[in-house]
Amino acid sequence: MLKLYLLISLICLVRSDTDEICPSFTKLSFHSAVVGTGLSVKLMLYTERNQTCAQIVNFTALGNLNVTKKTTFVIHGFRPTGSPPVWMGDLVESLLLVEDMNVVVVDWNRGATTVIYTQASSKTRKVAVILKEFIDQILANGGSLDNIYMIGVSLGAHISGFVGEMYDGQLGRITALGYKEPLGNIDFYPNGGLDQPGCPKTIFGGYYADSWKDYLKEKDPPMTKAFFDTDDKKPFCIYHYFVDIVSWNKNIRRGSIIIKLKDKDGNITESKINHEPATFQKYHQVSLLARFNQDLDKVAAISLEFSTGSVVGPKYKLRILRMKLRSLAHPERPQLCRYDLVLMENVETFFQPIVCPKLQM
């Protein structure tokens, strides 16, 4: 009898310890990616009460989810190696830091893990159906579609679009990050929710996107999507400038430009304009889009560096008749110019700009 009592106590203790373990994101191996996985969706709820230890929820058990608050779904995408997304924890923490909301991590790693992209993409609609069942329960308990937000990465963006389609574009917001895939972009799935004309609240890749929302909705007809460019480090802001270059080389030059801006306090920001080689022709203007992670109000000095990308061979010169720098974010700022520059290839050239004349030829 004593042995039976000890056995029961031991079982209860083991169960108690198991209950205390926090659920974690599904971790699979590359072997799983090779052989493939069947679809299994796990919903993990994080709230202000449980910011670090998730609670498993489903359409029959909403757990600690408060239907009166915003619910943000975070949906990962294609996982060719089976590893958990390294960015997931930081994103959940940041969302809860900004606002007291429900954050639901959609773990469909069993299904997304495969080396064959089409096998993962074929499961996205099924994931969307599961999410709709869960959202329907939120609505049945007094929730609102305006409070349903979706953040989808990669194939997760497609899943978000399908959910949006199921609700006729009435979700509070869809943020699609990195939605271009090996087999095409969002049009890979026709009639997806991200392309619905009745969905003016769709935002693509946004950062501080609230300031754009009213602007987009005021368009006639309302714009359904916008593309936002962000840096890969905090605070993620990107500031865009046009660099207009008129060259006077006798022969055509092809290459990329590195531009640096420096203010009076010594702050420096750099942009490598190398998305594709530019073609510089005599007396032709080339307008290059420069991306800076700092916005220097008053630029005291500028440097330019020209490169053809060639490791061996002769070094070329780029003769510039006029260089003009103009801010896209602040068009009211004076445009800065410099005339008669000669850039030696792979050599950084610093100079002081002057305010461009108001009338340009």
Side-chain angles (χ1 to χ4, degrees):
M1 189 68 179
L2 181 59
K3 291 182 179 180
L4 179 61
Y5 174 78
L6 291 174
L7 179 61
I8 294 174
S9 299
L10 182 61
I11 293 174
C12 292
L13 180 62
V14 171
R15 286 178 177 173
S16 177
D17 288 343
T18 304
D19 291 340
E20 292 299 319
I21 297 176
C22 296
S24 59
F25 193 94
T26 302
K27 183 178 181 180
L28 300 174
S29 64
F30 183 70
H31 172 75
S32 298
V34 174
V35 300
T37 58
L39 178 63
S40 177
V41 179
K42 180 166 60 175
L43 304 181
M44 297 188 291
L45 171 66
Y46 294 87
T47 66
E48 191 174 43
R49 289 177 53 189
N50 53 312
Q51 297 188 24
T52 58
C53 186
Q55 180 185 37
I56 299 297
V57 292
N58 55 53
F59 74 96
T60 63
L62 298 183
N64 294 330
L65 188 143
N66 188 332
V67 297
T68 65
K69 296 180 180 179
K70 180 189 300 181
T71 298
T72 299
F73 292 84
V74 181
I75 313 170
H76 67 88
F78 182 44
R79 307 301 302 168
T81 65
S83 62
V86 296
W87 47 265
M88 187 69 77
D90 289 340
L91 180 55
V92 172
E93 180 182 352
S94 298
L95 288 170
L96 291 173
L97 185 64
V98 170
E99 184 176 343
D100 180 10
M101 67 172 79
N102 311 298
V103 178
V104 178
V105 171
V106 181
D107 175 1
W108 66 289
N109 211 19
R110 294 189 183 278
T113 294
T114 173
V115 293
I116 304 175
Y117 174 81
T118 53
Q119 289 186 359
S121 63
S122 66
K123 298 179 175 68
T124 51
R125 280 196 180 274
K126 297 177 182 178
V127 178
V129 170
I130 293 172
L131 295 184
K132 184 180 184 301
E133 291 178 342
F134 185 74
I135 295 172
D136 283 344
Q137 277 302 112
I138 295 177
L139 301 178
N141 283 271
S144 167
L145 283 178
D146 286 338
N147 280 335
I148 303 297
Y149 279 34
M150 314 287 289
I151 300 177
V153 178
S154 172
L155 284 179
H158 294 257
I159 294 171
S160 302
F162 294 144
V163 176
E165 177 189 18
M166 294 171 182
Y167 289 105
D168 298 322
Q170 298 304 307
L171 299 184
R173 172 172 294 159
I174 297 175
T175 301
L177 303 172
Y179 68 95
K180 290 188 176 180
E181 296 292 346
L183 296 184
N185 59 20
I186 202 68
D187 295 329
F188 179 70
Y189 296 109
N191 301 320
L194 293 177
D195 279 335
Q196 292 298 304
C199 185
K201 299 179 183 179
T202 301
I203 300 294
F204 282 76
Y207 182 72
Y208 292 148
D210 285 336
S211 60
W212 295 80
K213 187 174 180 180
D214 292 337
Y215 172 78
L216 295 177
K217 291 174 68 176
E218 289 174 359
K219 293 289 185 178
D220 185 21
M223 293 177 61
T224 60
K225 52 187 173 182
F227 295 86
F228 293 86
D229 196 6
T230 62
D231 192 20
D232 58 357
K233 298 178 181 178
K234 292 182 179 180
F236 308 110
C237 302
I238 285 291
Y239 305 93
H240 295 89
Y241 287 76
F242 266 125
V243 181
D244 302 324
I245 294 178
V246 178
S247 59
W248 52 282
N249 282 75
K250 180 178 180 181
N251 299 318
I252 293 176
R253 293 282 183 263
R254 292 184 176 87
S256 59
I257 295 287
I258 297 176
I259 179 170
K260 291 181 181 178
L261 308 181
K262 183 178 181 180
D263 65 11
K264 294 181 180 179
D265 296 326
N267 299 308
I268 297 178
T269 183
E270 175 183 312
S271 177
K272 296 180 179 179
I273 313 175
N274 57 358
H275 42 81
E276 61 180 51
T279 301
F280 300 95
Q281 302 181 57
K282 190 174 183 179
Y283 302 139
H284 283 71
Q285 177 173 294
V286 176
S287 295
L288 305 173
L289 182 65
R291 306 163 64 253
F292 297 100
N293 58 12
Q294 293 185 64
D295 187 24
L296 304 184
D297 185 17
K298 296 182 179 179
V299 177
I302 298 176
S303 80
L304 295 176
E305 183 177 337
F306 170 71
S307 175
T308 64
S310 178
V311 180
V312 296
K315 300 296 182 182
Y316 292 97
K317 297 179 182 178
L318 180 64
R319 294 177 169 86
I320 297 178
L321 187 62
R322 187 200 68 198
M323 188 276 327
K324 179 166 63 175
L325 180 73
R326 48 194 174 99
S327 171
L328 271 71
H330 300 281
E332 73 282 357
R333 290 180 182 174
Q335 298 178 1
L336 301 179
C337 284
R338 180 70 188 217
Y339 303 88
D340 297 329
L341 285 172
V342 178
L343 303 183
M344 300 296 297
E345 185 174 4
N346 299 327
V347 175
E348 184 178 10
T349 302
F350 265 100
F351 55 88
Q352 290 183 336
I354 62 174
V355 176
C356 302
K358 293 184 178 180
L359 295 177
Q360 294 290 336
M361 297 295 293

